[in-house]
């Protein structure tokens, strides 16, 4: 989720627009240099001072988010929290048990508002509450942690047995997200360590990334990969030759994941084990699944968000429970808990304590044995950046760290994992979704400048740009290529002319100007809604499915995505789909989500509802063009954009896009 203040152009945003405008005019390397020149005045040349500045900005973000949480907790009603996806109310409490990590966990299920997309995910802290007749909330005196979550069910790790006692006997309970101190603490610790590093590899990497120390490379003959295209092959070789750092810049549909998997696979011919991280659990899951498909033994630290048997089978918990020694360990842990329960009732407490200590020693011995076996067998350790600080990885060092979707990660988060590695490979696209920054002052100060962007500016020779895309019809791809990538992208022959219908224009703009399709403000978090435009979007989808033919749509498993930048519009679109009987046979093939929710995904058909329609030409966070780059590059064969041209085309990007689409229709 990304927070932007509607109607305001920040300094950073202005810089980004200039950067974007220049893409169609210069070569890729010139673009990198121009970006460097634009940022030169604000660049802090000392690596230590730069990172200290990042630390101060992160502190600013921390204080801002903490204060926002306090205000939300104190002032916001349960209903608004539920709508924002940060709260479930009411919930039912299911069974409790001890998991493989010996944590006491409890099952939690929401009873209402199941259509609302929630923000709960693995590792997030939560708190429980009750509500009296007057609406006043009373919070239970403990903080728990999400251990597993899907659409309507969570497994929550409790801090102790007293927490379970506190949950019992409560008729109506709710659960909400708690302020995440842990992630900030780990980022602060990482930055402190990097700032203070001297005469070690961490200090060297710091000075290479942010200083004048040149990068170095191994010298050996390039390796041939005939199954990859030329730019992918070059990227893999640059990764293999890098002693310090390499960047794989993967625009939409260019096979970034394929390239990264190949680079990891080839690196494992030279190293016994590597660490693979990403900002989000979903991104970790995606790269892990591709590695498993390639036959690589992956150990996933942290529970996956893409929950299926295949994903679960390579998680640490599942592997731990499957080890032959686990039944014995489980029996010992149960015996320890039984002895603790008896210790108050017996007079011979010293004997009981002796037995407990003996059993603990045996349990520790078994845990070490199981962990040694799991980690020695695994070729890839996969986790989120924050998850790399897990106690299971304490003291572990890796030759190579791969960070996927690096353009979405705060620099401080990257350093959590970098501390464990000798060299770093970053993959992503800084022309797509940025990191989450909620404090506008911190954003203006440069907190949103990622480590990947910094290295691109400082060390452009480390960058490999993937240039052949395998997703989109050429006409869908071309505008993004010209605006964001200097016209350097090409369409693979097999997708260049792909389409669903003959003589169909791959991309079109439905202009809602004059259709009485006005926007409404809903709230800070949900932004805007345009009900008339949403209804028109549903009508357009219905019409296009009818043109394709219902039977053909189902037989060929054509899939559709409806995208809007605003949550309120997304929820309204979902309501309209549910209410319309026409879509009942097709619902499993239709996904409705925000732009952020579609990052890394693709569909045969994409409809985008831009929402904004006003006389002032205000477009809010539609000014963040990286978001729009994601939106317009999700479609394989058909892209339909709905928006008020009179409002949107006052911005150069949308004016050029509108003119481009109109030109296709005239050709």
């Amino acid at each position: 989720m990304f927070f932007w203040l509607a109607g305001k152009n920040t300094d950073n945003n202005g810089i980004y627009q200039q950067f974007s405008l220049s893409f169609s005019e210069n070569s890729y390397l010139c673009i990198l240099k121009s970006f460097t020149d634009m940022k030169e005045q604000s660049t802090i040349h000392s690596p230590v001072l730069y990172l200290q500045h990042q630390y101060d900005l992160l502190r600013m973000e921390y204080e801002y988010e903490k204060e926002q949480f306090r205000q939300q907790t104190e002032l916001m009603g349960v209903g608004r929290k539920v709508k924002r996806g940060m709260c479930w109310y009411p919930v039912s409490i299911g069974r409790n048990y001890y998991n493989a990590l010996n944590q006491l966990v409890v099952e939690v299920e929401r009873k209402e508002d199941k259509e609302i997309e929630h923000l709960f995910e693995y590792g997030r802290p939560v708190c429980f509450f009750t509500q009296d007749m007057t609406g006043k909330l009373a919070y239970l005196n403990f903080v728990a942690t999400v251990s597993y979550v899907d659409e309507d069910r969570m497994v929550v790790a409790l801090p102790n047995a007293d927490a379970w006692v506190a949950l019992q006997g409560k008729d109506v309970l709710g659960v909400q997200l708690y302020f995440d101190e842990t992630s900030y603490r780990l980022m602060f610790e990482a930055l402190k360590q990097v700032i203070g590093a001297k005469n070690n590899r961490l200090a060297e990497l710091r000075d290479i990334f942010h200083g004048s120390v040149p990068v170095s490379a191994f010298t050996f003959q390039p390796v041939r990969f005939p199954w990859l295209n030329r730019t992918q092959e070059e990227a893999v070789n640059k990764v293999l030759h890098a002693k310090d750092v390499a960047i794989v810049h993967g625009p939409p549909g260019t096979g970034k994941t394929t390239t990264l998997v190949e680079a990891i696979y080839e690196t494992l011919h030279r190293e016994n084990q590597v660490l693979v991280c990403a900002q989000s659990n979903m991104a970790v899951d995606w790269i892990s699944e591709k590695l498993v498909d390639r036959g690589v033994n992956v150990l996933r630290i942290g529970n996956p968000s893409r929950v299926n048997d295949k994903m679960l089978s390579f998680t640490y918990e599942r592997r731990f429970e499957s080890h032959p020694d686990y039944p014995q360990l489980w029996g010992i842990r149960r015996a320890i808990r039984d002895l603790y329960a008896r210790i108050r009732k017996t007079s011979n407490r010293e004997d009981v304590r002796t037995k407990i200590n003996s059993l603990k020693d045996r349990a520790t011995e078994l845990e070490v044995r199981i962990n040694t076996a799991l980690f020695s067998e695994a070729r890839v350790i996969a986790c989120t950046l924050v998850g790399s600080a897990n106690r299971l990885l304490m003291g572990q060092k890796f030759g190579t760290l791969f960070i996927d979707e690096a353009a979405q990660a705060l620099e401080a988060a990257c350093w959590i994992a970098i501390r464990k590695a000798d060299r770093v490979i970053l993959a992503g696209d800084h022309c797509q979704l940025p990191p989450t920054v909620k404090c506008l002052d911190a954003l203006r100060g440069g907190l949103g400048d990622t480590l990947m962007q910094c290295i691109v500016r400082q060390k452009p020779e480390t960058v490999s740009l993937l240039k052949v895309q395998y997703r989109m019809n050429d006409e869908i791809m071309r505008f993004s290529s010209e605006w964001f990538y200097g016209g350097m992208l090409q369409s693979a022959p097999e997708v260049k002319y792909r389409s669903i219908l003959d003589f169909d224009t791959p991309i079109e703009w439905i202009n809602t100007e004059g259709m009485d399709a006005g926007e409404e403000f809903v709230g800070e978090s949900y932004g805007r809604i345009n009900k008339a435009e949403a209804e028109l979007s549903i009508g357009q989808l219905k019409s296009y499915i009818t043109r394709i033919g219902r039977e053909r749509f189902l037989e060929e498993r054509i899939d559709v995505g409806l995208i809007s930048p605003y949550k309120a519009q997304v929820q309204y679109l979902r309501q309209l789909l549910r209410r319309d009987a026409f879509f009942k046979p097709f619902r499993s093939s239709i996904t409705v989500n925000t732009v952020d929710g579609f990052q890394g995904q693709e569909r045969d058909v994409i409809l985008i509802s831009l929402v904004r329609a006003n006389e002032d030409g205000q477009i809010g966070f539609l000014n963040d063009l990286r978001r729009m780059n994601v939106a317009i590059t999700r479609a394989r064969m058909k892209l339909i954009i709905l928006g008020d041209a009179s409002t949107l085309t006052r911005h150069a990007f949308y004016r050029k896009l509108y003119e481009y689409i109109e030109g296709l229709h005239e050709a």
Side-chain angles (χ1 to χ4, degrees), residues 337-591:
R337 290 194 292 272
D338 290 342
L339 286 169
Y340 270 121
R342 285 168 48 196
I343 198 167
R344 294 179 183 177
K345 302 175 183 178
T346 182
S347 59
N348 200 359
R349 293 181 181 179
E350 285 302 316
D351 285 349
V352 175
R353 287 195 181 96
T354 302
K355 287 181 182 178
I356 289 173
N357 290 333
S358 176
L359 288 171
K360 280 183 174 180
D361 290 341
R362 179 58 179 156
T364 301
E365 183 186 324
L366 287 170
E367 283 181 40
V368 170
R369 186 194 300 176
I370 296 173
N371 283 332
T372 301
L374 296 183
F375 279 92
S376 62
E377 293 168 1
R379 302 299 310 280
V380 169
I381 308 299
C383 58
T384 63
L385 292 165
V386 171
S388 67
N390 192 297
R391 63 173 182 83
L392 295 169
L393 298 178
M394 194 175 296
Q396 293 266 38
K397 290 290 289 185
F398 300 88
T400 305
L401 162 67
F402 292 86
I403 302 179
D404 195 13
E405 301 295 357
Q408 288 184 259
L410 290 175
E411 175 166 348
C414 292
W415 284 109
I416 297 173
I418 293 172
R419 294 177 298 174
K420 296 182 176 295
D422 290 327
R423 70 182 193 127
V424 184
I425 312 301
L426 299 107
D429 182 8
H430 43 278
C431 300
Q432 295 189 64
L433 291 181
T436 299
V437 179
K438 300 177 184 179
C439 175
L440 188 58
D441 288 337
L443 185 68
R444 284 173 173 157
L447 186 61
D449 290 348
T450 64
L451 180 61
M452 180 173 169
Q453 283 175 293
C454 291
I455 297 172
V456 166
R457 292 196 299 265
Q458 297 277 356
K459 304 289 188 295
E461 66 274 22
T462 65
V463 181
S464 298
L465 175 68
L466 306 181
K467 298 179 183 178
V468 182
Q469 69 88 18
Y470 299 87
R471 175 183 297 163
M472 296 163 272
N473 179 290
D474 190 70
E475 290 182 356
I476 298 174
M477 179 272 299
R478 201 182 308 149
F479 181 83
S480 175
S481 174
E482 292 294 330
W483 189 277
F484 293 101
Y485 308 103
M488 298 190 71
L489 301 190
Q490 307 165 16
S491 298
E494 60 265 34
V495 305
K496 191 170 186 176
Y497 303 108
R498 69 190 318 180
S499 62
I500 298 174
L501 298 171
D502 294 335
F503 310 109
D504 190 19
T505 307
I507 177 170
E508 59 183 292
W509 184 311
I510 309 296
N511 186 6
T512 61
E513 183 182 351
M515 294 185 181
D516 197 26
E519 63 179 76
E520 302 171 45
F521 182 71
V522 179
E524 294 270 341
S525 177
Y526 280 74
R528 311 262 165 180
I529 191 171
N530 190 325
K531 292 185 177 181
E533 188 176 285
E535 290 160 7
L536 182 62
S537 301
I538 298 299
Q540 286 292 319
L541 177 56
K542 189 183 294 186
S543 172
Y544 199 69
I545 291 175
T546 303
R547 284 177 63 194
I548 296 170
R550 296 189 181 198
E551 290 184 5
R552 183 190 168 197
F553 188 94
L554 293 170
E555 285 174 5
E556 297 183 11
R557 297 184 178 180
I558 295 169
D559 51 10
V560 176
L562 277 84
I563 302 177
S564 180
Y566 296 97
K567 286 185 177 181
Q569 190 78 343
V570 166
Q571 291 196 8
Y572 189 60
L573 285 164
R574 288 173 177 167
Q575 289 176 21
L576 293 175
L577 279 171
R578 282 196 304 272
R579 293 171 187 170
D580 196 328
F582 174 89
F583 294 104
K584 191 173 181 180
F586 315 119
R587 281 174 189 161
S588 62
S589 303
I590 302 171
T591 307

